[in-house]
Amino acid sequence: MNSHDMPDVQSSHDARDIAIDQVGIKAIRHPMTFLDHGKEQSTVAECQLTVGLPADKKGTHMSRFVALLNEGPLRLSVDSLADWTEAMIERLEAHSGEARFSFPYFIAKDAPVSGQGAMMDYDVTLIGRVEGGRPHIGLKLVIPVTSLCPCSKEISAYGAHNQRSHITVETEIGDPALSLRDLITAVEDQGSCPLWGLLKRPDEKYITEYAFDNPKFVEDMVRDVANALEGYPGLNGFSISVENFESIHNHSAWAVIHRPGQ
Amino acid sequence: MNSHDMPDVQSSHDARDIAIDQVGIKAIRHPMTFLDHGKEQSTVAECQLTVGLPADKKGTHMSRFVALLNEGPLRLSVDSLADWTEAMIERLEAHSGEARFSFPYFIAKDAPVSGQGAMMDYDVTLIGRVEGGRPHIGLKLVIPVTSLCPCSKEISAYGAHNQRSHITVETEIGDPALSLRDLITAVEDQGSCPLWGLLKRPDEKYITEYAFDNPKFVEDMVRDVANALEGYPGLNGFSISVENFESIHNHSAWAVIHRPGQ
Amino acid sequence: MNSHDMPDVQSSHDARDIAIDQVGIKAIRHPMTFLDHGKEQSTVAECQLTVGLPADKKGTHMSRFVALLNEGPLRLSVDSLADWTEAMIERLEAHSGEARFSFPYFIAKDAPVSGQGAMMDYDVTLIGRVEGGRPHIGLKLVIPVTSLCPCSKEISAYGAHNQRSHITVETEIGDPALSLRDLITAVEDQGSCPLWGLLKRPDEKYITEYAFDNPKFVEDMVRDVANALEGYPGLNGFSISVENFESIHNHSAWAVIHRPGQ
Amino acid sequence: MNSHDMPDVQSSHDARDIAIDQVGIKAIRHPMTFLDHGKEQSTVAECQLTVGLPADKKGTHMSRFVALLNEGPLRLSVDSLADWTEAMIERLEAHSGEARFSFPYFIAKDAPVSGQGAMMDYDVTLIGRVEGGRPHIGLKLVIPVTSLCPCSKEISAYGAHNQRSHITVETEIGDPALSLRDLITAVEDQGSCPLWGLLKRPDEKYITEYAFDNPKFVEDMVRDVANALEGYPGLNGFSISVENFESIHNHSAWAVIHRPGQ
């Protein structure tokens, strides 16, 4: 019995009359090449691929998502994501859809004094979405920084508690020429200090003092990131959350600002 | 030097003129008693407590959230959550806020044939939110069920692949008398079969055949849950997602339906 | 057809002649009361219950583990765990077995200056094991502390980077009268500073200066914990690991010491 | 002030007289090329790099681990891992050490009937260890398969519950020419059925019936893997664990077999 003789349950008619906003596959990993302004890097993406399903259709074609992922090497950029998403929707015979790719993104950074280079990793999610015939490109970044507590510094005779913090930014990209690396730098500059993979002693002295000179509450960081993104070219709205993994507590301090786009 | 002589950095004026939507504490665990219609159970909650911060205030009072959690035993129900959230907002001298409590919730279930009893655990998040002076009570449930594939059943000479699935429901509760247990039962009935903690052989025979008689795609389950919640008393809108941890793949099938409330 | 008429596949003979070291259930959650020296607390345990299976037996009785968990409220202490494990092994008609209960354990701690009280949570795993007819009681603790970097302090004109760290201790308990709370305190005193749930400004000043006065590398902490446990009454061997979630990097510093028991 | 004028706290003498088994860095991600018998693939590794520290030395050289990772592209194979580990130990001026690289490993698999190709992902950890001057190469694999319950099949009039399972194998490799792909295939053949990324309807029919014809308890799978590895060329001892994410329960069935090497 070959495929054409088999009943195709998914393609049958559905009588419940309920459209489905998103249906597809989730938590599938795939090797991926990411291009940021001509520079490419190899990484591994966790993918979530979905389409809208009209009320009268029983099911979508799950295997086509996987087939699409496996047609030649997966190469994506902010610039090419809209096309990829539209091809996916066409392949699925759908009218709307979303393609999400979450992956570690690496930036080679030089230590601030010694200049020694090392990779720093950031969690990036690229989101291609087509709704009402219009493509939207979204981006989610998780950017680790140092935060140093202004209150602790102010009230203590010496020292100040500090810790790793995560700045999470979700935004819609209006300009496909946007540089991911530049955006990450603009955000991580709003911590008490950025992080590096490799620090020699002169670097450690520098950033210890740098953070001490830039104390910030979680409220300060979320506001400073909002300030930095407010006029940032190529963004359309944003949500920012900052989580401080407090070094003096077993819980986090957390702050959120939403700015809807147009 | 006592507290009154110390500089209070958080209470100083902020010149950036940016309001913060939510600020507070996150990922703090606390013992909690949950009451569902008079029945109480002891559990452990992971809490996220936040308030809105006006543009002219530099910081919130982080330690007051923790103090509030620790004033007497934490006892919560769908019914009492609005009061708790309003008390939190008053204590923080704020105008809006949100209190989230995520915890394992246990239901003692009897196996379908043998009648033997055992606990089943569900992930529940209670959400109290006050905005514009009005309280809202939200609920997030993660309900595990069995799903059995209609296509696999239809095309195969025998057998059908099946797997554990998670049905996630987020909703706003219009009626504080809503029974959590009843709502969970209404949702888990939409899988190919509910789950139990303890099954003897006659139960295993029963549910194996029951699931085989109720094959459902991820699309069927998300629609059937939407149908079940459409007229469900005391709910105001909902979002449903269903994830099948496919037994034949190393990825998930996933479907989502949103129904905004009024 | 009732249970007695059904084929009992698990009880049939196995011809492969391979004994199984551990077989049972894992990742099952259950409400639990933990008793530490007469004081009891309600919590939720994730349980892993296994027995050894002889080479000639095809399968174990999975449902009996669940039945045992559900016979009356689950109440456990270091003292009573050996009995519980032996009862489990008897119920499963086995000769060896292990019962693991992982749960958040809460200690009410008073802030060091203001004296204000709040819960602190620790991850505890109780391990009951019977092998060769002899019971062993094991314990795994994850204890969060502050660490402050001696190098950063020494080379910088001011400040010093610090962060949350996890001290993980695994040990076998020789004396069932051991106090969990005392052991946790003995370990957390080896960080640059312990953590508290609630700190007012005078407390924050105190612990900021305290940590600055007690700088410790990850190497110092793991050695100081080894020192503290070396002569600790009631322990038989230990493994210690310390992980610093570095505030200046996006990775951890980590150190391990093993001391086998007799 | 340059590096040479700064106090080098880590290199100072330690008076506690306690050796440290392992100290280094953990949870650092890095792009990596993995070579399996000449075929190379790009992936991302989470690395854990440690050395032993003698009792009289205060601290290790944390930044050297990171420097080593960043010296040219990271290219590793089972064959070259011993050299990499020895170079690390020399660089750290140590006598023992361990290098762990955990990464998703992809195999292009053709569906069993349609022959359509797609990537399948497996979690692999490569472990290089030098102790007493002798290098050891270890391997940890997490291999997802389908399991179908023999009891459910036997007692039910139709159908049988099945689910995704994880087979975890840890072993020491005696022969550096071992093929990772062949070993994974040998293990995944012991499930009720292997998994594929992409399955068309004729494939789904095939594997549904295949799994139904190969029912296995968690006990059967752990024994069958032990059987398969017992005589497998190039392995020195192994530990196997199998976890069934039961489709009829909200917990797992689990079994473990250890076979120490020489």
Side-chain angles (χ1 to χ4, degrees):
Chain A
M1 183 158 78
N2 70 31
S3 182
H4 297 284
D5 304 320
M6 289 183 171
D8 185 353
V9 187
Q10 284 93 335
S11 297
S12 61
H13 182 77
D14 198 277
R16 271 161 301 198
D17 197 31
I18 300 177
I20 296 178
D21 294 280
Q22 291 182 272
V23 58
I25 61 172
K26 192 185 170 97
I28 185 167
R29 292 189 291 185
H30 205 82
M32 169 178 152
T33 300
F34 179 67
L35 295 97
D36 189 29
H37 274 72
K39 282 197 169 173
E40 62 178 56
Q41 62 177 255
S42 296
T43 185
V44 173
E46 184 169 313
C47 316
Q48 178 188 298
L49 306 175
T50 57
V51 291
L53 192 74
D56 64 337
K57 277 188 127 178
K58 185 158 178 68
T60 190
H61 309 279
M62 293 288 183
S63 66
R64 294 189 193 175
F65 291 109
V66 186
L68 192 61
L69 269 185
N70 284 280
E71 280 171 9
L74 181 64
R75 293 172 61 86
L76 285 172
S77 63
V78 171
D79 193 24
S80 67
L81 185 58
D83 287 349
W84 202 95
T85 310
E86 280 169 340
M88 175 187 83
I89 290 168
E90 197 185 324
R91 177 72 157 274
L92 271 290
E93 299 166 29
H95 299 293
S96 66
E98 191 186 86
R100 283 182 174 248
F101 302 90
S102 299
F103 54 93
Y105 171 73
F106 294 92
I107 297 181
K109 290 175 72 174
D110 294 334
V113 178
S114 72
Q116 292 212 23
M119 296 289 190
M120 252 293 291
D121 57 316
Y122 303 85
D123 283 309
V124 171
T125 303
L126 278 186
I127 305 151
R129 193 163 44 84
V130 175
E131 241 182 316
R134 258 190 69 208
H136 303 260
I137 300 302
L139 190 61
K140 182 180 172 186
L141 305 170
V142 182
I143 299 170
V145 298
T146 298
S147 60
L148 185 139
C149 179
C151 171
S152 171
K153 174 182 174 180
E154 182 68 27
I155 63 182
S156 305
Y158 39 81
H161 80 81
N162 51 77
Q163 53 268 319
R164 207 186 296 166
S165 302
H166 281 177
I167 304 177
T168 301
V169 172
E170 294 185 73
T171 185
E172 191 179 305
I173 299 178
D175 174 8
L178 179 123
S179 157
L180 198 54
R181 184 179 177 144
D182 291 350
L183 180 58
I184 287 172
T185 303
V187 172
E188 74 182 358
D189 284 348
Q190 311 310 319
S192 290
C193 193
L195 306 189
W196 281 267
L198 174 53
L199 296 167
K200 304 301 286 181
R201 268 174 296 148
D203 305 308
E204 189 170 355
K205 172 183 166 59
Y206 175 84
I207 65 162
T208 300
E209 296 168 0
Y210 188 94
F212 199 80
D213 290 334
N214 285 281
K216 297 199 182 194
F217 288 123
V218 72
E219 293 96 333
D220 293 318
M221 290 199 297
V222 77
R223 279 170 165 148
D224 288 347
V225 176
N227 242 343
L229 298 186
E230 193 64 69
Y232 198 93
L235 304 188
N236 181 27
F238 52 77
S239 289
I240 306 159
S241 67
V242 182
E243 180 168 8
N244 291 2
F245 304 98
E246 298 283 290
S247 64
I248 61 170
H249 295 300
N250 198 26
H251 61 261
S252 297
W254 191 58
V256 180
I257 288 177
H258 300 291
R259 283 272 191 287
Q262 267 86 44
Chain B
M1 181 158 79
N2 71 31
S3 183
H4 298 286
D5 304 320
M6 287 181 172
D8 185 353
V9 187
Q10 284 93 335
S11 297
S12 62
H13 181 78
D14 199 279
R16 272 160 301 198
D17 198 31
I18 300 177
I20 296 178
D21 293 278
Q22 292 183 270
V23 58
I25 61 172
K26 192 185 171 96
I28 185 167
R29 293 190 290 184
H30 205 82
M32 170 179 152
T33 300
F34 179 66
L35 295 96
D36 189 26
H37 274 72
K39 282 197 169 174
E40 62 179 56
Q41 63 178 252
S42 296
T43 185
V44 173
E46 184 169 313
C47 315
Q48 178 187 299
L49 307 174
T50 57
V51 291
L53 191 74
D56 64 337
K57 276 188 128 179
K58 185 159 179 66
T60 191
H61 309 280
M62 293 287 183
S63 66
R64 294 188 192 174
F65 292 109
V66 185
L68 193 60
L69 270 184
N70 285 281
E71 280 171 9
L74 182 64
R75 294 171 61 86
L76 285 172
S77 63
V78 171
D79 193 24
S80 68
L81 186 58
D83 286 351
W84 202 95
T85 310
E86 281 170 340
M88 175 187 83
I89 290 168
E90 197 186 324
R91 177 72 157 273
L92 270 291
E93 299 166 27
H95 300 293
S96 65
E98 191 186 84
R100 284 182 174 248
F101 302 90
S102 298
F103 53 94
Y105 170 73
F106 294 92
I107 296 182
K109 290 177 71 174
D110 294 334
V113 178
S114 72
Q116 292 212 23
M119 296 291 189
M120 251 293 290
D121 57 314
Y122 303 85
D123 281 310
V124 171
T125 304
L126 278 186
I127 306 151
R129 194 163 45 84
V130 175
E131 241 184 317
R134 260 191 67 210
H136 304 260
I137 300 303
L139 191 61
K140 182 180 172 185
L141 305 170
V142 181
I143 299 170
V145 299
T146 297
S147 59
L148 185 139
C149 179
C151 171
S152 171
K153 175 183 173 178
E154 182 67 28
I155 63 182
S156 304
Y158 39 81
H161 79 81
N162 52 76
Q163 53 268 319
R164 206 186 296 166
S165 302
H166 280 177
I167 305 177
T168 301
V169 172
E170 295 186 72
T171 184
E172 191 180 305
I173 299 178
D175 175 7
L178 179 123
S179 158
L180 198 53
R181 184 180 176 143
D182 291 349
L183 180 58
I184 286 172
T185 303
V187 172
E188 73 182 359
D189 283 348
Q190 310 311 318
S192 290
C193 193
L195 306 189
W196 280 267
L198 175 53
L199 296 167
K200 304 301 287 181
R201 267 173 298 146
D203 305 310
E204 191 170 353
K205 172 184 166 59
Y206 175 85
I207 66 163
T208 299
E209 295 169 0
Y210 188 96
F212 199 82
D213 290 334
N214 285 281
K216 297 199 180 192
F217 288 123
V218 73
E219 293 95 335
D220 293 317
M221 290 200 296
V222 76
R223 278 170 165 149
D224 288 347
V225 175
N227 242 342
L229 298 187
E230 193 64 70
Y232 198 92
L235 303 188
N236 180 29
F238 52 77
S239 289
I240 305 159
S241 67
V242 182
E243 180 168 7
N244 290 2
F245 303 99
E246 298 284 290
S247 64
I248 62 170
H249 295 302
N250 197 26
H251 61 261
S252 298
W254 189 60
V256 180
I257 288 178
H258 299 291
R259 284 273 190 285
Q262 270 86 43
Chain C
M1 183 159 76
N2 70 30
S3 183
H4 297 285
D5 305 321
M6 288 182 170
D8 185 353
V9 187
Q10 285 93 336
S11 297
S12 60
H13 182 78
D14 199 277
R16 271 162 299 198
D17 197 31
I18 301 178
I20 296 178
D21 294 279
Q22 292 183 268
V23 58
I25 61 173
K26 192 186 171 94
I28 185 166
R29 292 189 291 184
H30 205 81
M32 169 178 153
T33 300
F34 179 67
L35 294 97
D36 189 27
H37 274 73
K39 282 197 168 174
E40 63 177 57
Q41 63 177 255
S42 296
T43 184
V44 173
E46 185 168 312
C47 315
Q48 178 187 300
L49 307 174
T50 57
V51 291
L53 192 73
D56 63 337
K57 277 189 125 179
K58 184 158 178 69
T60 190
H61 310 279
M62 293 288 184
S63 66
R64 295 188 192 175
F65 292 109
V66 186
L68 192 62
L69 270 185
N70 283 280
E71 280 170 10
L74 182 64
R75 294 171 61 84
L76 285 172
S77 62
V78 170
D79 193 24
S80 67
L81 185 57
D83 286 350
W84 202 95
T85 309
E86 280 169 340
M88 176 186 84
I89 290 167
E90 197 186 324
R91 177 72 156 273
L92 271 291
E93 300 165 28
H95 300 293
S96 65
E98 190 187 85
R100 282 180 175 250
F101 302 91
S102 298
F103 53 93
Y105 171 73
F106 293 93
I107 297 181
K109 289 176 72 175
D110 294 334
V113 178
S114 72
Q116 292 212 22
M119 296 291 190
M120 251 294 291
D121 58 315
Y122 303 85
D123 282 309
V124 172
T125 302
L126 277 187
I127 305 150
R129 194 163 46 83
V130 175
E131 242 182 317
R134 257 190 70 208
H136 303 260
I137 300 303
L139 190 62
K140 183 181 172 186
L141 305 170
V142 182
I143 299 171
V145 299
T146 298
S147 59
L148 186 139
C149 179
C151 172
S152 170
K153 174 181 172 179
E154 181 69 25
I155 63 181
S156 305
Y158 39 81
H161 79 81
N162 52 77
Q163 53 267 319
R164 207 186 297 166
S165 302
H166 280 178
I167 304 177
T168 301
V169 172
E170 295 185 72
T171 185
E172 191 179 305
I173 299 178
D175 175 8
L178 179 125
S179 158
L180 198 53
R181 184 178 177 145
D182 291 350
L183 180 58
I184 288 173
T185 303
V187 173
E188 75 182 357
D189 283 349
Q190 311 311 319
S192 291
C193 194
L195 306 188
W196 281 267
L198 174 54
L199 296 167
K200 304 301 288 184
R201 267 175 295 147
D203 304 309
E204 189 170 354
K205 173 184 167 58
Y206 175 84
I207 66 161
T208 300
E209 296 168 359
Y210 187 95
F212 199 81
D213 289 334
N214 285 281
K216 297 200 182 192
F217 288 122
V218 73
E219 293 95 335
D220 293 317
M221 291 200 297
V222 77
R223 279 170 165 150
D224 288 346
V225 176
N227 243 341
L229 298 187
E230 193 65 66
Y232 199 92
L235 304 187
N236 180 27
F238 51 77
S239 289
I240 306 160
S241 66
V242 182
E243 180 168 7
N244 289 3
F245 303 99
E246 297 285 288
S247 65
I248 62 170
H249 295 302
N250 197 27
H251 60 262
S252 297
W254 189 59
V256 180
I257 288 177
H258 301 290
R259 282 273 189 286
Q262 268 87 42
Chain D
M1 183 158 78
N2 71 31
S3 184
H4 298 284
D5 305 320
M6 289 182 170
D8 186 352
V9 187
Q10 284 94 334
S11 298
S12 60
H13 182 78
D14 199 276
R16 272 161 301 197
D17 198 31
I18 300 177
I20 296 178
D21 293 280
Q22 291 182 271
V23 58
I25 61 172
K26 192 186 170 96
I28 185 166
R29 293 190 290 186
H30 205 82
M32 170 178 151
T33 300
F34 179 68
L35 295 97
D36 189 26
H37 274 72
K39 281 197 169 175
E40 63 178 56
Q41 64 177 253
S42 296
T43 185
V44 173
E46 185 168 312
C47 316
Q48 179 188 299
L49 307 174
T50 56
V51 291
L53 192 72
D56 63 337
K57 276 189 129 181
K58 184 159 179 65
T60 190
H61 310 278
M62 294 287 184
S63 66
R64 293 189 193 173
F65 292 108
V66 185
L68 192 62
L69 270 184
N70 284 279
E71 278 171 11
L74 181 64
R75 294 172 61 86
L76 285 172
S77 63
V78 170
D79 193 25
S80 67
L81 186 57
D83 286 350
W84 203 95
T85 310
E86 280 170 340
M88 176 187 82
I89 289 168
E90 196 186 325
R91 179 71 158 273
L92 270 291
E93 299 166 27
H95 300 292
S96 65
E98 191 188 85
R100 282 181 175 250
F101 302 90
S102 299
F103 54 92
Y105 171 74
F106 294 92
I107 296 181
K109 289 176 73 174
D110 294 334
V113 179
S114 71
Q116 292 212 22
M119 295 291 189
M120 251 294 289
D121 57 315
Y122 303 85
D123 282 309
V124 172
T125 302
L126 276 187
I127 305 151
R129 194 163 44 83
V130 175
E131 242 182 316
R134 258 191 67 210
H136 304 259
I137 300 302
L139 191 60
K140 182 181 172 185
L141 305 170
V142 182
I143 299 171
V145 298
T146 298
S147 59
L148 186 138
C149 179
C151 172
S152 171
K153 175 181 173 180
E154 181 68 27
I155 63 182
S156 305
Y158 38 82
H161 79 82
N162 52 76
Q163 53 268 320
R164 206 186 296 166
S165 302
H166 279 177
I167 304 177
T168 301
V169 173
E170 294 185 72
T171 185
E172 192 180 305
I173 299 179
D175 174 7
L178 180 124
S179 157
L180 198 54
R181 183 177 179 147
D182 291 349
L183 180 58
I184 287 172
T185 303
V187 172
E188 74 182 358
D189 283 348
Q190 310 311 319
S192 291
C193 194
L195 307 189
W196 281 266
L198 174 53
L199 295 168
K200 304 302 288 182
R201 268 174 298 147
D203 305 310
E204 190 170 354
K205 172 183 166 59
Y206 175 84
I207 65 162
T208 300
E209 296 168 359
Y210 187 95
F212 200 81
D213 291 335
N214 285 281
K216 298 201 181 192
F217 288 122
V218 73
E219 293 95 335
D220 293 318
M221 290 200 296
V222 77
R223 278 170 165 149
D224 289 346
V225 176
N227 243 341
L229 298 188
E230 193 65 68
Y232 198 92
L235 303 189
N236 181 27
F238 51 77
S239 290
I240 306 160
S241 66
V242 182
E243 180 169 7
N244 289 4
F245 303 98
E246 297 284 292
S247 65
I248 62 170
H249 295 301
N250 197 26
H251 61 261
S252 297
W254 190 59
V256 180
I257 288 177
H258 300 290
R259 282 273 191 286
Q262 270 87 42

